[in-house]
Amino acid sequence: MDWDVIEREWDRVKLVLMEKWGALSAAEMAEVAGQRDRLSALLQEKYGWSRSEADEKLGDFARRHDNGRDTTRDRLV
């Protein structure tokens, strides 16, 4: 899914992201406001990831995102 779709659906998508990455707060997600670069920087700060690692994880999320949810979580054991 294109990031512009994620931006448009941010109110729904941010809940999925907060579930996926529990260190993200609602206030931080409100500040991110769907901006990929800001979310990448936040993930780097919270998890100690490099920029390329955070960007890769966001890319994976965007590819799996379908109508506001990460479809892979249904397959997790």
Side-chain angles (χ1 to χ4, degrees), residues 37-51:
D37 287 343
R38 291 178 78 177
L39 182 55
S40 177
L42 182 59
L43 290 171
Q44 292 168 57
E45 177 187 326
K46 292 289 187 171
Y47 291 98
W49 296 336
S50 67
R51 180 179 177 114

Side-chain angles (χ1 to χ4, degrees), residues 3-45:
W3 197 263
D4 60 328
V5 175
I6 291 173
E7 287 180 18
R8 281 195 310 269
E9 298 291 326
W10 186 246
D11 286 338
R12 187 171 31 150
V13 173
K14 71 182 178 185
L15 299 174
V16 177
L17 288 165
M18 289 180 354
E19 183 179 319
K20 182 173 185 68
W21 293 307
L24 304 175
S25 73
E28 291 166 331
M29 296 303 275
E31 288 180 26
V32 166
Q35 297 176 37
R36 186 179 176 138
D37 287 343
R38 291 178 78 177
L39 182 55
S40 177
L42 182 59
L43 290 171
Q44 292 168 57
E45 177 187 326

